Amino acid sequence: MTAPILITGAGQRIGLAYAKACLSRNQPVIATYRSHRPGIDELRQAGACCIQADFGTNEGIDRFIETLRSETDHLRAIIHNASDWLPENPDQPPEAVMSAMMQIHAMAPYRINLACRDLLERGDSTTDIIHMTDYVVEKGSAKHIAYAASKAALTNLTLSFTRLLAPRVKVNSLAPSLIIFNEDDSAEYREKTLKKSLMGIEPGTRVAVNTIQFLLDNPYITGRTLPLDGGRHLA
């Protein structure tokens, strides 16, 4: 039986696109979501096991791990895609913002990786962990300081888990910038954002899907962060 791929935050955007790509080639998927979205219904109809999970608390992580273990005894990969994007806000204590960002982007992957190590190491084949980080780690952010710091922490977790789990499990990060606009993004925002990269395009989720699959298929890349930014670092 083919081991499933766990994809967190699979209700929309990159997570949803990769889950659909897996299911289209009969790769089993376990998808998590915090809030129900139409994409979850699509995944269920296509055969995915969908688990509601709130990684915002340690209790929520505990419940998820227990549920996951009731669904499978092995995993092909874990794609840590669940994310939030809280800005610094005068109406919210800064310690609350930092705590929330670290909980979702660092604590949850840290605990899930440790708890699922045996599920990844169950068979004879190499398995994978991919952390979805962010281009912002390279430059920081004046408006999303805690978010950038938490994604930087996730990038560092990639290095540590690579050392811990090699050679049985490959661990890498994918650091995208603009992949797909939100429907409510203004024309002014879109124009401004497109100018930030050398390629100047909205590439769509296919580039992320292809890169995730490339990492899973390549037996000799581990402990690396692959940028997916259209040359933004040079623009």
Side-chain angles (χ1 to χ4, degrees):
M1 180 178 178
T2 303
I5 293 177
L6 169 62
I7 307 170
T8 69
Q12 61 177 340
R13 301 171 68 82
I14 292 174
L16 177 60
Y18 187 63
K20 286 182 174 181
C22 289
L23 294 167
S24 71
R25 60 175 189 276
N26 297 318
Q27 165 62 57
V29 167
I30 298 176
T32 81
Y33 63 98
R34 180 175 53 182
S35 301
H36 182 270
R37 298 176 183 275
I40 295 301
D41 295 329
E42 295 180 51
L43 294 182
R44 282 201 175 106
Q45 291 170 6
C49 170
C50 298
I51 302 173
Q52 194 283 327
D54 184 358
F55 300 142
T57 67
N58 285 325
E59 294 76 15
I61 297 171
D62 289 337
R63 285 192 294 271
F64 164 69
I65 292 170
E66 181 179 1
T67 303
L68 175 66
R69 286 186 166 277
S70 72
E71 294 290 345
T72 188
D73 62 359
H74 59 324
L75 288 171
R76 166 61 185 88
I78 302 174
I79 314 299
H80 286 289
N81 178 69
S83 185
D84 203 350
W85 199 50
L86 294 181
E88 275 59 43
N89 186 332
D91 297 327
Q92 192 168 9
E95 62 270 24
V97 177
M98 180 63 83
S99 178
M101 293 294 89
M102 286 294 185
Q103 178 71 26
I104 295 171
H105 301 140
M107 181 65 79
Y110 169 72
R111 291 199 56 207
I112 292 169
N113 288 350
L114 291 174
C116 295
R117 178 177 182 174
D118 65 316
L119 304 184
L120 290 164
E121 295 180 338
R122 187 61 52 86
D124 296 328
S125 301
T126 302
T127 56
D128 289 84
I129 294 172
I130 296 179
H131 297 143
M132 299 298 293
T133 61
D134 197 298
Y135 163 79
V136 75
V137 169
E138 289 190 25
K139 296 186 67 174
S141 172
K143 295 181 179 179
H144 293 82
I145 299 171
Y147 170 84
S150 67
K151 288 293 189 176
L154 183 57
T155 299
N156 188 263
L157 284 176
T158 300
L159 303 177
S160 296
F161 276 108
T162 299
R163 288 181 174 274
L164 176 67
L165 300 177
R168 298 290 302 280
V169 183
K170 296 186 283 104
V171 186
N172 292 289
S173 290
L174 186 59
S177 57
L178 169 68
I179 297 298
I180 184 171
F181 286 115
N182 295 306
E183 291 183 2
D184 58 353
D185 288 335
S186 68
E188 180 182 4
Y189 173 80
R190 292 173 186 241
E191 181 179 3
K192 179 181 177 181
T193 302
L194 289 173
K195 291 179 180 178
K196 291 181 179 181
S197 75
L198 292 179
M199 300 307 294
I201 61 170
E202 176 191 11
T205 56
R206 174 53 57 182
V207 297
V209 169
N210 290 346
T211 308
I212 292 170
Q213 195 58 48
F214 165 75
L215 287 172
L216 265 64
D217 291 341
N218 194 303
Y220 203 55
I221 298 178
T222 194
R224 291 296 184 179
T225 296
L226 268 62
L228 199 60
D229 58 23
R232 188 167 177 172
H233 64 297
L234 297 175

